[in-house]
Amino acid sequence: MSGSIWMPPGSRPDTLPAIPRQRIKPSWAQPDPLDELAERLDDFIAAAVHPDEIAALLESDGLSDDQIRERYGVKNSFALAEELYERVERRYPEPDGPVHDPWQVGLLGCLLRGVVFALPGLGYVLGGPLLAGPHDDFGLPAGTVPLLAGALVGWTWNQGLAHRAYSWLGLGDRDAARRSLLLGAPAGALLGSLVALAVAGAAQPVAVAFAAGQSVYLGAATALLVMSRERALLAALLPMAAGGVLALVHPVPDAARLILLLGSLTVVALLGLREVAPLKGRGTVLNVGPRLSASLPYALFGLATGVLVLYTALGDFLTGEQRSAIAAPAAVALTLSMGPAEWLLYRFRSGSLAGLRSSSTPRAFWRTTVLTVLKCLSGYLLALLVLSLATSALWPHAPGIAGVRLAGLLLLGVVLWTGLLLQSFGAVLSAAAICCAAALAQSVALVTHAGSPHWIGLIVHGTAAVAQATLVCALLGRVTAHR
């Protein structure tokens, strides 16, 4: 067994036996039907992600199981599909032309919405002298408490109302969206006015009237924004805004202040009414509409974030530092930052869609989306920082913003942006729960005088930001969350 291989006589030891040549297929032999079918359906089979796709195509071509057994020698269409799936290598061709991205929006439109959100703040500059009077028991200027109470009610109600109207629009029933706004906006205005009246009482009629106008504006502006009429709202606010800017640098008569406020309010209310007024004829009526309870988390989110923003605006008064402005730069900066925040949310959704196309594993997709969300969040915080410093420098007699104040404001920005991101993921209930818990914790801490309001805000905002960021990281890897 250990001897050398036997070699034929006359052959050299370094010569190996010749390998027999393979037989050439005879000319009369028929080609393999499976190879022919695989070649004919090559593009479709290569792009299939499961054999069942191929089986569906075969059945749509009219191939019966009897024909498949006779032609291809396999049991049925599923067996043939599995055979074809194994023979053809996977190839997933890219679509022709640029890939459609539904999340591409212009920056200018988002910035316009941020400006529209902030311009009504100049109405308080115009109306401030009309509310002249002694400070209340909390050390706040006259009329501040009923205005804040009415604003909180308005933010809460209109967040829920906007969600319900958007739900109808998503179902394709524009008339139902109009009806919900036509009924909901006046109801919210009435509720906000009654709350302001209950808080102020009959002793502050001017403050109650101002709060009622504020509630009417919030309802009408919600209707215009939901129906994508930002430009009309901006045009209606421009005269009042110009008067507010003038009032910052030059005295304005009370009569002119009142005319500008009532004029802009009237125009906004009429535009809102015109937008939601029922049209002639009857549109499509859906038997099943969105549940009312589905809008409740959005309303609670609006209430909680409103409370957190108000505490940030009232920080100096809560510490006993009487200022001529109620931390107006912080509130204005947060309001203006909602424009960049909205655009960066769209950029994140666009980046996550691109990551979904380019990633081949769940872990790679998660890494891509984490990097995208970090870039977008950093961009938002940079925008908020610039806006905070600019408004603080330009606002007359405003306190400087730095140190604990600035850190608390930026952390609140993280809470707001990640809360909006969680809403886009469909996790609005979690965002509402975290923000409500933060607002309640900050309220309890301030009532019990647990510490400095600025430090309380920093701790509460930081805790809420960490909780929401953790939840965001947990949802980033779920493809279904990016729908």
Side-chain angles (χ1 to χ4, degrees):
M1 296 296 293
S2 60
S4 60
I5 300 176
W6 178 83
M7 304 290 289
S11 61
R12 293 181 299 175
D14 57 346
T15 303
L16 295 176
I19 301 175
R21 296 180 60 187
Q22 296 182 351
R23 294 183 178 182
I24 300 175
K25 186 190 306 183
S27 59
W28 47 264
Q30 296 293 329
D32 186 357
L34 274 172
D35 289 340
E36 285 188 332
L37 183 62
E39 183 178 355
R40 181 163 61 89
L41 303 178
D42 180 75
D43 291 338
F44 182 86
I45 298 172
V49 297
H50 194 275
D52 287 353
E53 292 185 48
I54 306 171
L57 178 65
L58 296 174
E59 292 176 354
S60 68
D61 284 345
L63 280 176
S64 64
D65 290 344
D66 292 337
Q67 292 174 326
I68 289 173
R69 281 192 292 269
E70 180 181 350
R71 294 182 189 178
Y72 305 107
V74 293
K75 184 178 180 180
N76 51 34
S77 60
F78 292 98
L80 178 57
E82 291 178 357
E83 180 68 25
L84 294 172
Y85 189 81
E86 293 177 358
R87 289 192 177 205
V88 178
E89 184 181 357
R90 303 296 96 215
R91 298 192 310 274
Y92 301 105
E94 292 292 331
D96 296 332
V99 179
H100 174 64
D101 187 355
W103 303 107
Q104 288 287 349
V105 297
L107 175 60
L108 183 60
C110 294
L111 293 179
L112 175 63
R113 290 175 70 89
V115 172
V116 167
F117 293 154
L119 280 183
L122 293 170
Y124 299 102
V125 176
L126 277 177
L130 303 178
L131 300 172
H135 285 55
D136 58 22
D137 297 337
F138 301 99
L140 296 170
T144 301
V145 173
L147 285 176
L148 295 181
L152 279 178
V153 172
W155 292 339
T156 304
W157 180 274
N158 289 301
Q159 280 282 332
L161 176 62
H163 172 262
R164 182 161 181 80
Y166 278 124
S167 298
W168 279 117
L169 291 175
L171 293 173
D173 197 339
R174 197 172 181 85
D175 290 334
R178 287 194 180 96
R179 286 194 299 270
S180 64
L181 292 169
L182 182 61
L183 297 175
L190 178 60
L191 181 61
S193 302
L194 291 177
V195 170
L197 177 61
V199 172
Q204 303 183 57
V206 177
V208 173
F210 200 102
Q214 171 187 261
S215 299
V216 171
Y217 170 79
L218 289 174
T222 298
L224 290 172
L225 289 173
V226 169
M227 304 306 289
S228 301
R229 298 281 292 170
E230 296 90 350
R231 296 181 184 276
L233 180 58
L234 175 63
L237 291 175
L238 283 179
M240 180 273 298
V245 173
L246 178 62
L248 288 173
V249 297
H250 190 275
V252 176
D254 289 348
R257 294 173 185 269
L258 191 60
I259 291 173
L260 287 172
L261 289 172
L262 291 179
S264 289
L265 177 61
T266 302
V267 173
V268 171
L270 291 176
L271 286 174
L273 180 61
R274 177 176 177 270
E275 192 63 33
V276 300
L279 301 177
K280 292 182 179 181
R282 188 176 181 181
T284 304
V285 178
L286 298 178
N287 294 325
V288 180
R291 294 177 290 108
L292 284 172
S293 59
S295 300
L296 180 60
Y298 292 87
L300 292 177
F301 181 81
L303 172 63
T305 53
V307 170
L308 294 174
V309 171
L310 286 183
Y311 281 145
T312 300
L314 294 173
D316 290 325
F317 279 95
L318 295 174
T319 57
E321 302 175 22
Q322 300 294 328
R323 305 283 185 176
S324 59
I326 306 177
V332 172
L334 281 170
T335 307
L336 285 172
S337 71
M338 290 298 100
E342 182 180 0
W343 184 73
L344 287 166
L345 280 174
Y346 279 108
R347 294 305 304 160
F348 168 76
R349 299 305 296 268
S350 177
S352 63
L353 183 62
L356 186 60
R357 289 194 301 266
S358 61
S359 303
S360 57
T361 64
R363 183 175 293 276
F365 175 65
W366 183 84
R367 286 197 301 266
T368 301
T369 51
V370 166
L371 290 176
T372 304
V373 78
L374 287 177
K375 291 178 182 178
C376 294
L377 180 57
S378 300
Y380 170 68
L381 292 179
L382 179 60
L384 179 58
L385 175 62
V386 172
L387 289 170
S388 302
L389 297 177
T391 52
S392 179
L394 296 175
W395 199 275
H397 312 295
I401 181 167
V404 177
R405 286 193 188 94
L406 183 58
L409 180 64
L410 293 178
L411 285 174
L412 179 57
V414 175
V415 173
L416 295 178
W417 196 83
T418 53
L420 295 175
L421 182 58
L422 288 172
Q423 285 191 34
S424 71
F425 284 166
V428 61
L429 195 59
S430 301
I434 293 173
C435 289
C436 285
L440 180 61
Q442 190 165 1
S443 300
V444 171
L446 292 174
V447 170
T448 58
H449 303 286
S452 169
H454 292 305
W455 279 103
I456 290 173
L458 180 67
I459 295 171
V460 170
H461 299 164
T463 304
V466 170
Q468 291 193 164
T470 302
L471 186 56
V472 166
C473 290
L475 294 174
L476 283 177
R478 298 183 184 179
V479 176
T480 54
H482 298 265
R483 290 177 295 182

